Structure formats: structure tokens, C-alpha cells
Amino acid sequence: MTIAPERPRLRPPAEQAPPPPGPERRRTTGTTRASDVYALLGAAAASLALTWLLFARLLPFSGAVGFVIVAYVLFLGLYALLVSFDEDGPAVRDRIAGVVVRSLGLLLLAVLVFVVAFTLWEGRKALVHLNFFTEDMSLAGPLEPLDVGGILHAVVGTLEQVGIALAITVPTGIVCAIFLTEVPGPFARLVRTIVEAMTALPSIVAGLFVYATVILALGTERSGLAASLALSVMMLPIIIRASDVVIRLVPGTLREASYAMGSSRWRTVWHVVLPTARSGLTTAVILGTARGVGETSPVLLTAGFTAELNALPTSGAQVSLPLATFELVKSPEPNMIARGFGTAAVLMLLVLLLFVLARIAGGRGPGQLTKRQERRRALASRQDAARWISTAGTAPHPGTASTAGTATHPGTASAAGTATHPGTASAAGAATHPGTASTAGAATHPGTASAAGTAPAPGTGSAPGTASAAASRSSAAPADRSVPPRSTP
């Protein structure tokens, strides 16, 4: 009987193997969707159209400020309505909060750009003249053209006053901040309270304090030094408070590691705390400089006003850029007003330059080295490596311990595999001379004591008085036969 071969069964479509997977769809981590963009643009367009309709057709409103406020309020309401079609209540509130925060940021940026651009535009007529930066106002009157006179006296006065104030406040403020952080106690709390109260001190009060104590009480004249002292009173609380906050952020584990290595408190502060907080301390100095560089009333009370250049800060009246700006813009003459705006533009550029220099000097984070420091570290590493190599290649002197494979002098201890002189102790596997003690595995000469498992040298016999350990391959008889053998019953 012949059996027909079974025909292969075809699996139903449901049991067919799945097709190979295609390329994986790329996932995006952003939360912005097309519907969000459409809702934002639609709310903005609708709010502008409704505001125009209210101001132009329906209500008797006018003014650009009112138009912007009404349009923004309508924009928030329409945006919340459009978002509510796709999201629930918490998501709608989150979107509205995000829009408000971003709007405030854009508003502040727009105000800053407007102030800078407006100052530069109004002072453009004075800024294009070279004499504006190289001359003072001693020969320029209100009706003089812009090619006569300049603000060199104000630039010099500002640099000297701010420089002296920084020389006083930076070391004093940082030391005071270190005291408040590293030496806690009742006195430190009192000092911190006073510093926090002085941060809100009005500038006119600081000027009056220096005027009463330095000029009236001590009898000194108005000068740039007195103005620097007044600016120091304004800048010192800002630097102390900001530096205190920054030093507090230094991890305590860094201090503990330094103390564990035996460093004192002063070395820990100098080599650990200050380098770690360097960037933050630079920010504190920048904040203090920004507070003092724009003050006008303390300088007016303590240094007076002059149109001539005075490069000596200890005597005579001296003017600064903010005070010169204040005096120039009071004049009704267009040229004097242009000089005033030009002075304000120079002040902004000078402050920007000071901030950039301060950021470059202290903007590196902890552990980051300059190019010069990296070269010095590399040179020191090469010198250390050469010193270690030269030390390792020298031969040991008598009385020192020698390493494996080296030849030692008499009286020294030799390592494994070394050849020793008479009277020295040899390690395992070393060939010793007569009269030396050999360890396990060493070949001994006549008259030497061999350890367990050692074999005497070929052709040598164990002399009387030598002791061989158990399991020794030596065929020599025991040297001591005085002990009788144990008798068996």
C-alpha cells in the first residue's frame, strides 16, 4: 500500500509572521505642539483686532499705553479660552502662567534695549567728535559747538573714585563675609543684621554722613577721596551680603576634607573656600560696583562740581560721569543736552568694560586652570618624573636593603635570587657561601643549617652539627644519636 506524501499546510492569514518592523519613529522631548502655536497666534491676532475696534469705533479711548494694556488683557483671556478646548483646568493655568512670565521677560528686555538705544541715539552728535573724549569743559560754554569741550575730567574722576572705593570695599567686604560664615556667634549675627539694614540705606544719607564726619569734623576739603568714602559706604553692604551668601554655598565636605588633611582654618579658607566661590565673589563685586558707579548725590555733597580736569583725588573738586550727566542735561541748549546723553552713553560703555574685565578675571570655576598654570603643572610633573627615575636607577650603599636581582655588599640583607657574600642572610632560592644561613629551597654548603625541604649542594655532605628538617631529601644521617629509640611492647 502506497502512502501519498502529505501536502504542506498553509497557515491562515492571522498566523502569518509579522512583517519586519520599519524605522522607529523619532520622539521629540519638546512640549510645544502645533495647536499651541495656532492658539497663541490666533489669540494675538484676535486681541489686536478687538482692541482696534474698541479704540477706533466703539469707545472714546486713545493712547498707545492704554491700547497695549487692553490688548494684552484681551490676549490672555482669548488664549485661555482657546487652550481650554484641548486641555483641562491645571494645564490652562500652567499655560497662562508661562505666557505671563515670558511676557514680563520680553518687556524687561524691550525696556533695556529702548534705554540703551535711546541714549545712543540722542548722544550720537557728541560721540562722533574725538575732542569729546580728550578735552574737558573748561573752555566750552553753553553755546559752544560740539567740536569744543569734552568729558575727560568726568571719566578720570569716575575711574579714580570707583577704583579707590573698590580698593576699600573688596578686601573689607570679603573678610567680613568670611567672618560671618566661618566664625558664627552672637556678634556675627549682630553684624549680619546691621549689614542687611545698610543695604537699603539711601545714598543721600551716606553722602551726609561722610560730609559731616570727614569734611566738617576733620576739616578736610571736598575731594575725590571723600566721594570715594561715600561710595564705599554704599557699596560695602552689597558686597558683604552677596559674598556671605556665596561663601555659604561652598559644600561643607570640602572644608572637612581640608581639616582631615591637617590644614588650619586660614589655609582652608585661602586654598579651598575662596577658590571655590571665586565666580560668585566676582558677581558680588560687580553688584557693589553697579551700586556705587551710578550715584550722584553723594559725589555732589562730598566732591562738588568742576568743569576742569583734576587728576589728584586728595584735593580739589572732582566730578564723575553721573554728576556730569545730571549737570549737562539741565541746560536748555541742544548741544549741552547732546553732551549729557553722550556722557551717559560713555558711562554705560565704561561700566560694561569693567564688568567684562571682572568676569574674565574671576569667571573660571573651581578647578579650572589658566594656560600659565597648566604649563607650570606640566613642568612640575616632568621634573618629578625625572627625579623618581634618577632615584630608582642608583645602586644601594652598604647597610641598605637591596631589591631582587641586585648585588649586595657584605652585611646587607639580599632578596630572592641574589648572590650574597659571606656572613649575609640569603632569601629563598639564593645560593649561599659557607657559614651563611639559608632558607627553604636554598642549596647549602657544608657547615650551614638548611631549612625544611632543602637539599644540600651536590657532592656535599652534611657535617656534624647541622640539622636537616623533616621531608628533606638529604641522605645524611642525623648528627645527634643520643636519644634512644622508643621500644615497642
Side-chain angles (χ1 to χ4, degrees):
M1 176 175 164
T2 303
I3 300 176
E6 184 178 0
R7 286 184 291 181
R9 294 182 179 180
L10 297 177
R11 289 185 296 180
E15 298 181 2
Q16 294 290 341
E24 185 178 359
R25 184 178 180 182
R26 186 174 182 179
R27 300 179 181 180
T28 58
T29 58
T31 58
T32 303
R33 298 174 299 181
S35 58
D36 299 334
V37 178
Y38 297 152
L40 190 66
L41 296 178
S47 62
L48 291 176
L50 289 177
T51 305
W52 176 82
L53 183 62
L54 292 176
F55 273 69
R57 301 297 180 182
L58 300 179
L59 299 177
F61 292 161
S62 62
V65 178
F67 186 91
V68 172
I69 294 176
V70 173
Y72 184 73
V73 173
L74 291 177
F75 166 75
L76 293 179
L78 294 173
Y79 182 71
L81 178 63
L82 295 177
V83 172
S84 63
F85 293 155
D86 299 329
E87 305 290 346
D88 52 359
V92 173
R93 290 191 292 270
D94 180 73
R95 299 293 176 83
I96 295 299
V99 168
V100 171
V101 171
R102 290 176 175 84
S103 301
L104 293 177
L106 292 176
L107 177 63
L108 294 178
L109 181 61
V111 171
L112 178 61
V113 172
F114 174 77
V115 170
V116 174
F118 181 78
T119 304
L120 294 175
W121 178 257
E122 292 294 330
R124 70 188 187 279
K125 296 180 181 179
L127 292 174
V128 296
H129 296 279
L130 183 60
N131 61 280
F132 186 72
F133 304 96
T134 58
E135 298 180 3
D136 56 15
M137 293 293 293
S138 58
L139 301 177
L143 301 179
E144 294 291 340
L146 294 176
D147 55 357
V148 178
I151 58 170
L152 178 62
H153 60 304
V155 174
V156 173
T158 298
L159 292 177
E160 290 183 352
Q161 294 171 12
V162 174
I164 296 174
L166 287 176
I168 297 174
T169 56
V170 170
T172 307
I174 294 178
V175 169
C176 183
I178 292 173
F179 167 76
L180 296 178
T181 306
E182 302 293 332
V183 190
F187 185 67
R189 289 194 294 269
L190 176 62
V191 173
R192 182 177 286 110
T193 302
I194 295 175
V195 169
E196 291 178 354
M198 288 184 63
T199 54
L201 183 69
S203 59
I204 190 67
V205 176
L208 288 174
F209 170 75
V210 175
Y211 180 78
T213 56
V214 177
I215 297 177
L216 296 182
L218 300 181
T220 60
E221 60 178 339
R222 293 183 178 182
S223 61
L225 180 61
S228 301
L229 295 177
L231 296 180
S232 300
V233 176
M234 300 298 303
M235 296 165 56
L236 187 60
I238 304 298
I239 295 178
I240 294 176
R241 189 72 183 100
S243 302
D244 180 28
V245 173
V246 170
I247 295 176
R248 279 178 164 185
L249 297 178
V250 177
T253 54
L254 297 179
R255 296 184 177 91
E256 295 173 0
S258 178
Y259 293 147
M261 296 179 66
S263 298
S264 61
R265 175 179 292 179
W266 165 245
R267 292 185 65 87
T268 299
V269 170
W270 184 257
H271 294 284
V272 176
V273 177
L274 293 181
T276 305
R278 177 173 52 191
S279 179
L281 294 177
T282 304
T283 303
V285 174
I286 289 175
L287 292 176
T289 306
R291 177 64 187 276
V293 75
E295 294 294 339
T296 301
S297 56
V299 179
L300 181 61
L301 288 173
T302 56
F305 180 82
T306 180
E308 298 179 357
L309 175 63
N310 180 18
L312 188 61
T314 56
S315 64
Q318 195 177 57
V319 69
S320 63
L321 286 172
L323 183 58
T325 303
F326 174 72
E327 293 292 338
L328 290 173
V329 297
K330 291 192 306 180
S331 176
E333 297 297 328
N335 289 340
M336 298 296 287
I337 295 177
R339 289 190 180 97
F341 278 101
T343 306
V346 172
L347 176 62
M348 290 191 301
L349 296 177
L350 182 62
V351 171
L352 178 62
L353 178 62
L354 293 176
F355 287 177
V356 169
L357 294 178
R359 181 58 62 185
I360 292 175
R364 295 186 304 272
Q368 296 181 358
L369 303 178
T370 61
K371 296 296 183 181
R372 183 179 180 183
Q373 291 174 340
E374 290 178 357
R375 289 194 297 267
R376 292 175 59 185
R377 291 287 180 89
L379 179 60
S381 299
R382 289 194 296 267
Q383 292 176 353
D384 292 340
R387 185 170 61 254
W388 282 109
I389 292 174
S390 62
T391 303
T394 57
H397 295 280
T400 59
S402 62
T403 56
T406 60
T408 61
H409 293 277
T412 58
S414 62
T418 61
T420 61
H421 291 277
T424 59
S426 62
T432 61
H433 290 275
T436 60
S438 62
T439 58
T444 61
H445 290 273
T448 60
S450 62
T454 61
T460 61
S462 297
T466 60
S468 61
S472 174
R473 296 183 181 180
S474 175
S475 59
D480 191 1
R481 298 180 183 272
S482 62
V483 180
R486 180 177 297 179
S487 61
T488 58

PDB file of all heavy atoms in Angstrom, residues 209-229:
ATOM      1  N   PHE A 209      26.624 111.593  55.806  1.00  0.00           N
ATOM      2  CA  PHE A 209      27.480 111.026  56.849  1.00  0.00           C
ATOM      3  C   PHE A 209      28.950 111.350  56.596  1.00  0.00           C
ATOM      4  O   PHE A 209      29.674 111.802  57.493  1.00  0.00           O
ATOM      5  CB  PHE A 209      27.263 109.511  56.903  1.00  0.00           C
ATOM      6  CG  PHE A 209      28.250 108.781  57.766  1.00  0.00           C
ATOM      7  CD1 PHE A 209      28.150 108.850  59.148  1.00  0.00           C
ATOM      8  CD2 PHE A 209      29.280 108.050  57.210  1.00  0.00           C
ATOM      9  CE1 PHE A 209      29.072 108.199  59.955  1.00  0.00           C
ATOM     10  CE2 PHE A 209      30.198 107.381  57.994  1.00  0.00           C
ATOM     11  CZ  PHE A 209      30.086 107.462  59.378  1.00  0.00           C
ATOM     12  N   VAL A 210      29.410 111.151  55.367  1.00  0.00           N
ATOM     13  CA  VAL A 210      30.805 111.466  55.046  1.00  0.00           C
ATOM     14  C   VAL A 210      31.036 112.972  55.093  1.00  0.00           C
ATOM     15  O   VAL A 210      32.096 113.448  55.548  1.00  0.00           O
ATOM     16  CB  VAL A 210      31.169 110.878  53.672  1.00  0.00           C
ATOM     17  CG1 VAL A 210      32.577 111.299  53.263  1.00  0.00           C
ATOM     18  CG2 VAL A 210      31.070 109.372  53.701  1.00  0.00           C
ATOM     19  N   TYR A 211      30.068 113.759  54.666  1.00  0.00           N
ATOM     20  CA  TYR A 211      30.222 115.210  54.702  1.00  0.00           C
ATOM     21  C   TYR A 211      30.352 115.710  56.140  1.00  0.00           C
ATOM     22  O   TYR A 211      31.150 116.614  56.423  1.00  0.00           O
ATOM     23  CB  TYR A 211      29.014 115.864  54.020  1.00  0.00           C
ATOM     24  CG  TYR A 211      29.053 117.365  54.004  1.00  0.00           C
ATOM     25  CD1 TYR A 211      29.853 118.046  53.088  1.00  0.00           C
ATOM     26  CD2 TYR A 211      28.289 118.102  54.899  1.00  0.00           C
ATOM     27  CE1 TYR A 211      29.892 119.438  53.077  1.00  0.00           C
ATOM     28  CE2 TYR A 211      28.314 119.489  54.897  1.00  0.00           C
ATOM     29  CZ  TYR A 211      29.119 120.145  53.989  1.00  0.00           C
ATOM     30  OH  TYR A 211      29.167 121.519  53.980  1.00  0.00           O
ATOM     31  N   ALA A 212      29.594 115.110  57.052  1.00  0.00           N
ATOM     32  CA  ALA A 212      29.639 115.555  58.444  1.00  0.00           C
ATOM     33  C   ALA A 212      30.885 115.071  59.168  1.00  0.00           C
ATOM     34  O   ALA A 212      31.448 115.805  59.994  1.00  0.00           O
ATOM     35  CB  ALA A 212      28.388 115.075  59.185  1.00  0.00           C
ATOM     36  N   THR A 213      31.323 113.842  58.883  1.00  0.00           N
ATOM     37  CA  THR A 213      32.443 113.265  59.632  1.00  0.00           C
ATOM     38  C   THR A 213      33.805 113.614  59.036  1.00  0.00           C
ATOM     39  O   THR A 213      34.769 113.850  59.771  1.00  0.00           O
ATOM     40  CB  THR A 213      32.302 111.737  59.697  1.00  0.00           C
ATOM     41  OG1 THR A 213      32.205 111.210  58.368  1.00  0.00           O
ATOM     42  CG2 THR A 213      31.064 111.351  60.489  1.00  0.00           C
ATOM     43  N   VAL A 214      33.907 113.615  57.724  1.00  0.00           N
ATOM     44  CA  VAL A 214      35.212 113.816  57.076  1.00  0.00           C
ATOM     45  C   VAL A 214      35.452 115.289  56.753  1.00  0.00           C
ATOM     46  O   VAL A 214      36.544 115.819  57.005  1.00  0.00           O
ATOM     47  CB  VAL A 214      35.312 112.951  55.803  1.00  0.00           C
ATOM     48  CG1 VAL A 214      36.622 113.204  55.074  1.00  0.00           C
ATOM     49  CG2 VAL A 214      35.186 111.483  56.157  1.00  0.00           C
ATOM     50  N   ILE A 215      34.445 115.974  56.224  1.00  0.00           N
ATOM     51  CA  ILE A 215      34.656 117.340  55.761  1.00  0.00           C
ATOM     52  C   ILE A 215      34.461 118.346  56.896  1.00  0.00           C
ATOM     53  O   ILE A 215      35.307 119.233  57.118  1.00  0.00           O
ATOM     54  CB  ILE A 215      33.721 117.649  54.582  1.00  0.00           C
ATOM     55  CG1 ILE A 215      34.050 116.722  53.403  1.00  0.00           C
ATOM     56  CG2 ILE A 215      33.832 119.110  54.162  1.00  0.00           C
ATOM     57  CD1 ILE A 215      33.138 116.881  52.210  1.00  0.00           C
ATOM     58  N   LEU A 216      33.369 118.234  57.640  1.00  0.00           N
ATOM     59  CA  LEU A 216      33.108 119.194  58.704  1.00  0.00           C
ATOM     60  C   LEU A 216      33.900 118.887  59.970  1.00  0.00           C
ATOM     61  O   LEU A 216      34.540 119.778  60.550  1.00  0.00           O
ATOM     62  CB  LEU A 216      31.611 119.227  59.015  1.00  0.00           C
ATOM     63  CG  LEU A 216      30.698 119.711  57.885  1.00  0.00           C
ATOM     64  CD1 LEU A 216      29.256 119.738  58.337  1.00  0.00           C
ATOM     65  CD2 LEU A 216      31.132 121.094  57.413  1.00  0.00           C
ATOM     66  N   ALA A 217      33.852 117.625  60.428  1.00  0.00           N
ATOM     67  CA  ALA A 217      34.518 117.286  61.691  1.00  0.00           C
ATOM     68  C   ALA A 217      36.034 117.305  61.567  1.00  0.00           C
ATOM     69  O   ALA A 217      36.735 117.846  62.435  1.00  0.00           O
ATOM     70  CB  ALA A 217      34.046 115.912  62.176  1.00  0.00           C
ATOM     71  N   LEU A 218      36.579 116.752  60.515  1.00  0.00           N
ATOM     72  CA  LEU A 218      38.035 116.701  60.339  1.00  0.00           C
ATOM     73  C   LEU A 218      38.596 117.924  59.642  1.00  0.00           C
ATOM     74  O   LEU A 218      39.820 118.116  59.626  1.00  0.00           O
ATOM     75  CB  LEU A 218      38.425 115.435  59.559  1.00  0.00           C
ATOM     76  CG  LEU A 218      38.039 114.108  60.213  1.00  0.00           C
ATOM     77  CD1 LEU A 218      38.496 112.944  59.345  1.00  0.00           C
ATOM     78  CD2 LEU A 218      38.637 114.000  61.616  1.00  0.00           C
ATOM     79  N   GLY A 219      37.755 118.717  59.034  1.00  0.00           N
ATOM     80  CA  GLY A 219      38.218 119.947  58.415  1.00  0.00           C
ATOM     81  C   GLY A 219      38.870 119.770  57.057  1.00  0.00           C
ATOM     82  O   GLY A 219      39.583 120.668  56.599  1.00  0.00           O
ATOM     83  N   THR A 220      38.640 118.677  56.389  1.00  0.00           N
ATOM     84  CA  THR A 220      39.210 118.470  55.062  1.00  0.00           C
ATOM     85  C   THR A 220      38.311 119.113  54.004  1.00  0.00           C
ATOM     86  O   THR A 220      37.126 119.385  54.233  1.00  0.00           O
ATOM     87  CB  THR A 220      39.362 116.979  54.762  1.00  0.00           C
ATOM     88  OG1 THR A 220      38.078 116.352  54.823  1.00  0.00           O
ATOM     89  CG2 THR A 220      40.284 116.316  55.774  1.00  0.00           C
ATOM     90  N   GLU A 221      38.891 119.345  52.843  1.00  0.00           N
ATOM     91  CA  GLU A 221      38.133 119.950  51.757  1.00  0.00           C
ATOM     92  C   GLU A 221      37.418 118.889  50.929  1.00  0.00           C
ATOM     93  O   GLU A 221      37.680 117.686  51.051  1.00  0.00           O
ATOM     94  CB  GLU A 221      39.079 120.755  50.859  1.00  0.00           C
ATOM     95  CG  GLU A 221      40.180 119.928  50.225  1.00  0.00           C
ATOM     96  CD  GLU A 221      41.055 120.748  49.314  1.00  0.00           C
ATOM     97  OE1 GLU A 221      40.589 121.817  48.862  1.00  0.00           O
ATOM     98  OE2 GLU A 221      42.194 120.316  49.048  1.00  0.00           O
ATOM     99  N   ARG A 222      36.537 119.353  50.119  1.00  0.00           N
ATOM    100  CA  ARG A 222      35.840 118.438  49.213  1.00  0.00           C
ATOM    101  C   ARG A 222      36.825 117.903  48.189  1.00  0.00           C
ATOM    102  O   ARG A 222      37.578 118.666  47.578  1.00  0.00           O
ATOM    103  CB  ARG A 222      34.687 119.154  48.503  1.00  0.00           C
ATOM    104  CG  ARG A 222      33.548 119.562  49.404  1.00  0.00           C
ATOM    105  CD  ARG A 222      32.426 120.182  48.600  1.00  0.00           C
ATOM    106  NE  ARG A 222      31.302 120.540  49.451  1.00  0.00           N
ATOM    107  CZ  ARG A 222      30.169 121.070  48.984  1.00  0.00           C
ATOM    108  NH1 ARG A 222      30.039 121.292  47.666  1.00  0.00           N
ATOM    109  NH2 ARG A 222      29.185 121.360  49.810  1.00  0.00           N
ATOM    110  N   SER A 223      36.764 116.611  47.987  1.00  0.00           N
ATOM    111  CA  SER A 223      37.741 115.981  47.099  1.00  0.00           C
ATOM    112  C   SER A 223      37.179 114.659  46.596  1.00  0.00           C
ATOM    113  O   SER A 223      36.137 114.171  47.054  1.00  0.00           O
ATOM    114  CB  SER A 223      39.071 115.743  47.825  1.00  0.00           C
ATOM    115  OG  SER A 223      38.883 114.882  48.935  1.00  0.00           O
ATOM    116  N   GLY A 224      37.921 114.071  45.665  1.00  0.00           N
ATOM    117  CA  GLY A 224      37.527 112.766  45.166  1.00  0.00           C
ATOM    118  C   GLY A 224      37.671 111.674  46.198  1.00  0.00           C
ATOM    119  O   GLY A 224      36.930 110.678  46.177  1.00  0.00           O
ATOM    120  N   LEU A 225      38.595 111.823  47.146  1.00  0.00           N
ATOM    121  CA  LEU A 225      38.738 110.838  48.207  1.00  0.00           C
ATOM    122  C   LEU A 225      37.514 110.800  49.099  1.00  0.00           C
ATOM    123  O   LEU A 225      37.048 109.726  49.490  1.00  0.00           O
ATOM    124  CB  LEU A 225      39.994 111.152  49.029  1.00  0.00           C
ATOM    125  CG  LEU A 225      40.292 110.205  50.186  1.00  0.00           C
ATOM    126  CD1 LEU A 225      40.502 108.788  49.680  1.00  0.00           C
ATOM    127  CD2 LEU A 225      41.501 110.699  50.976  1.00  0.00           C
ATOM    128  N   ALA A 226      36.975 111.966  49.443  1.00  0.00           N
ATOM    129  CA  ALA A 226      35.748 111.999  50.241  1.00  0.00           C
ATOM    130  C   ALA A 226      34.586 111.358  49.477  1.00  0.00           C
ATOM    131  O   ALA A 226      33.762 110.632  50.058  1.00  0.00           O
ATOM    132  CB  ALA A 226      35.414 113.439  50.619  1.00  0.00           C
ATOM    133  N   ALA A 227      34.515 111.611  48.162  1.00  0.00           N
ATOM    134  CA  ALA A 227      33.477 110.959  47.362  1.00  0.00           C
ATOM    135  C   ALA A 227      33.668 109.439  47.342  1.00  0.00           C
ATOM    136  O   ALA A 227      32.689 108.678  47.375  1.00  0.00           O
ATOM    137  CB  ALA A 227      33.487 111.514  45.943  1.00  0.00           C
ATOM    138  N   SER A 228      34.921 108.986  47.302  1.00  0.00           N
ATOM    139  CA  SER A 228      35.188 107.544  47.331  1.00  0.00           C
ATOM    140  C   SER A 228      34.731 106.921  48.648  1.00  0.00           C
ATOM    141  O   SER A 228      34.192 105.814  48.675  1.00  0.00           O
ATOM    142  CB  SER A 228      36.674 107.286  47.114  1.00  0.00           C
ATOM    143  OG  SER A 228      37.107 107.811  45.878  1.00  0.00           O
ATOM    144  N   LEU A 229      34.926 107.637  49.753  1.00  0.00           N
ATOM    145  CA  LEU A 229      34.449 107.125  51.040  1.00  0.00           C
ATOM    146  C   LEU A 229      32.923 107.022  51.065  1.00  0.00           C
ATOM    147  O   LEU A 229      32.362 106.067  51.610  1.00  0.00           O
ATOM    148  CB  LEU A 229      34.945 108.039  52.169  1.00  0.00           C
ATOM    149  CG  LEU A 229      36.462 108.090  52.369  1.00  0.00           C
ATOM    150  CD1 LEU A 229      36.814 109.075  53.473  1.00  0.00           C
ATOM    151  CD2 LEU A 229      37.012 106.710  52.682  1.00  0.00           C
TER     152      LEU A 229
END
